[in-house]
Amino acid sequence: MNTFGNIFRLTTFGESHGEAIGGVVDGMPAGIDIDIDFIQAELNRRRPGQSKITTSRQEPDQVELLSGVFEGKSTGCPIGFIVRNTNQHSQDYENMRNVFRPSHADYTYQQKYGIRDHRGGGRSSARITISRCVGGALAKLVLKQLGISVQAYTSQVGNIALERDYHLYDLSQTETNAVRCPDAEKAAQMEALITQVKGEGDTIGGVITCVIKGCPAGLGEPEFGKLHADLGAAMLSINAVKGFEYGEGFSGVTARGSEQNDIFIPGPNGITTATNHSGGIQGGISNGQDIYFRVAFKPVATLLMEQDTVDIEGNPTTLTAKGRHDPCVLPRAVPVVEAMAAMTILDYFMFQNSINV
C-alpha cells in the first residue's frame, strides 16, 4: 500500500538512490493559497546536513510541483510533485549487497519480494518521508484556514527527558536549537548525548511529542476508524517508530478512575472539561480539547561499528556500515510526525464535513 488517507490522499513513489522521490496528493480542496516557500521550509526541516548531530549528507531537497496549482492556488485536481535525488554515494553500500543489516528491512524485503535495493535501503529508507512532508505541508495550509495547528517537538533523547505536560513549555522555542526541543537546557544535554553517541559510531533513540490545537469536536468514528487509532497507524508507519500513546497513555494505568476522569464544566464557548487526561479524544471521537500524543523512536539501526550478521545464503559474517547516517533520527523526524498528524486530521475533517473548504 503506497497510498495514505481516504478523502485527502497521498500516494508516494521513489527509492533513496533512485532518480527522485515524489508523490501525488488527491483530494486537496480547491482555492487554497499554495505557499511554495512554506512547503520548501517544511522540507528543509527534514533535510539532511542541518547540523553536526545529523548526517553530513548534503541534499537541497528542492520540491517541484507538477500539477494541480494555477496562479498560486490549488485547483482541486491532483497535485503531483517530485524531489530529485542529487547526492547519492551508492558505492558506500556495495559491501551490503549480499548481507542483511541487523534490524533493517533487508531480510524482510528479500523474503517478500525476492529482490531488494541494497543502496541505502531503497524503498525502506527514511528518505521516502520527503513525500510525507510535502503532503503534510499542503494539509497544514488547509488546516491553517480552519484554525487548527500541529506542533511536534523532541521530548526525550535516551534517558534525558522533559516533563510530560506540554503546557510547561513555550513550544515556539522548538526550532531554536538543533534537537528541536523547547527547553534550552535539556536541548543542550540532548545534543551533547547525541554528539557523544555519534563519536562512538553508535546511535540513540527517544520520543517526540505532538500537540494538535483547534481541532473541533466530532472527528472520528465510534467503532472502526477511531481518530486515535488512525493517528496511531499514521505514526507507526514512520520509519523507526516503535510505540504510540495518546493522552496520559501508559503512565495513566497507575491512577484511579477518580483521578483520570475529565470532568465536564461550562466553558466560554460551550461545554468543556476541567482536565484533559483523555488527550482530546473520547470514544474514538475528538472532544474539542487539545489532542496530544507521544511517539517512540528506536535507535537508528545503521551503526558505524562492526556487527555480526549473515549473508543471503545464511552464512555468518560481519558488517561495518559505511556512508553518512544519522546518530539520532529525532531532530529530522519532528516535521514527519507533524506531517502525518496534519494529513490525518484534515482527512477526518473533510470526511466529517464533506465540504470543499
Side-chain angles (χ1 to χ4, degrees):
M1 174 58 69
N2 298 294
T3 298
F4 176 81
N6 298 287
I7 296 178
F8 184 91
R9 299 185 300 277
L10 169 68
T11 300
T12 73
F13 65 84
E15 296 82 35
S16 61
H17 285 238
E19 290 297 318
I21 306 296
V24 175
V25 170
D26 203 1
M28 180 73 177
I32 302 296
D33 290 329
I34 302 301
D35 186 345
I36 189 66
D37 291 333
F38 172 75
I39 297 172
Q40 187 60 54
E42 292 293 275
L43 278 180
N44 291 346
R45 296 171 67 210
R46 194 225 70 93
R47 70 175 175 82
Q50 296 178 46
S51 70
K52 65 181 181 181
I53 60 171
T54 64
T55 172
S56 61
R57 189 177 70 254
Q58 293 289 334
E59 296 208 52
D61 288 352
Q62 193 72 37
V63 64
E64 302 174 40
L65 300 184
L66 306 178
S67 62
V69 179
F70 179 68
E71 295 183 342
K73 291 184 180 293
S74 59
T75 64
C77 298
I79 298 179
F81 63 88
I82 60 170
V83 173
R84 300 184 187 277
N85 294 326
T86 62
N87 189 10
Q88 304 128 307
H89 287 183
S90 298
Q91 67 277 7
D92 288 344
Y93 299 89
E94 191 58 32
N95 67 324
M96 305 177 190
R97 176 183 290 274
N98 297 313
V99 175
F100 295 134
R101 295 171 297 171
S103 287
H104 281 77
D106 297 349
Y107 174 74
T108 52
Y109 267 55
Q110 187 73 37
Q111 291 298 105
K112 181 175 179 64
Y113 300 109
I115 186 174
R116 66 182 175 90
D117 185 346
H118 66 282
R119 304 167 303 168
R123 184 69 173 158
S124 69
S125 169
R127 184 159 177 75
I128 307 304
T129 58
I130 283 174
S131 298
R132 300 173 183 229
C133 286
V134 175
L138 290 168
K140 281 184 176 183
L141 291 174
V142 184
L143 293 179
K144 183 179 180 181
Q145 295 195 13
L146 300 172
I148 301 172
S149 66
V150 181
Q151 171 76 68
Y153 60 94
T154 298
S155 55
Q156 183 171 344
V157 174
N159 60 358
I160 302 171
L162 303 186
E163 296 290 337
R164 295 175 62 90
D165 188 353
Y166 63 90
H167 294 98
L168 300 174
Y169 304 98
D170 179 0
L171 301 189
S172 68
Q173 298 301 302
T174 298
E175 295 293 321
T176 62
N177 55 74
V179 187
R180 294 200 162 90
C181 171
D183 183 304
E185 182 178 346
K186 290 285 188 178
Q189 297 175 22
M190 292 174 180
E191 183 169 347
L193 176 58
I194 296 172
T195 300
Q196 174 192 337
V197 168
K198 180 180 180 181
E200 297 169 353
D202 215 334
T203 61
I204 191 85
V207 175
I208 290 175
T209 297
C210 187
V211 182
I212 304 170
K213 293 180 175 290
C215 184
L219 303 190
E221 299 303 308
E223 178 62 9
F224 303 108
K226 296 179 188 293
L227 181 57
H228 62 267
D230 271 12
L231 281 170
M235 298 307 136
L236 289 164
S237 74
I238 301 172
N239 306 59
V241 169
K242 288 296 185 180
F244 170 85
E245 62 175 1
Y246 75 104
E248 291 297 316
F250 288 101
S251 69
V253 303
T254 59
R256 304 279 181 98
S258 56
E259 299 170 306
Q260 281 283 297
N261 282 355
D262 295 317
I263 305 302
F264 289 107
I265 59 174
N269 300 310
I271 296 174
T272 185
T273 55
T275 54
N276 187 19
H277 300 298
S278 301
I281 302 172
Q282 293 170 327
I285 301 171
S286 62
N287 65 4
Q289 301 299 309
D290 292 349
I291 296 172
Y292 63 95
F293 57 84
R294 290 157 48 89
V295 186
F297 286 78
K298 72 172 184 176
V300 175
T302 300
L303 311 182
L304 299 181
M305 60 173 65
E306 186 175 272
Q307 295 185 86
D308 292 329
T309 186
V310 297
D311 62 23
I312 59 175
E313 302 297 332
N315 301 309
T317 186
T318 59
L319 170 68
T320 301
K322 302 176 182 178
R324 300 155 295 173
H325 306 281
D326 287 291
C328 179
V329 73
L330 274 79
R332 294 176 59 209
V334 165
V336 182
V337 167
E338 290 181 2
M340 297 306 295
M343 288 190 287
T344 301
I345 294 298
L346 179 57
D347 193 34
Y348 268 82
F349 182 92
M350 296 178 70
F351 182 80
Q352 175 71 16
N353 293 277
S354 298
I355 61 171
N356 197 14
V357 180

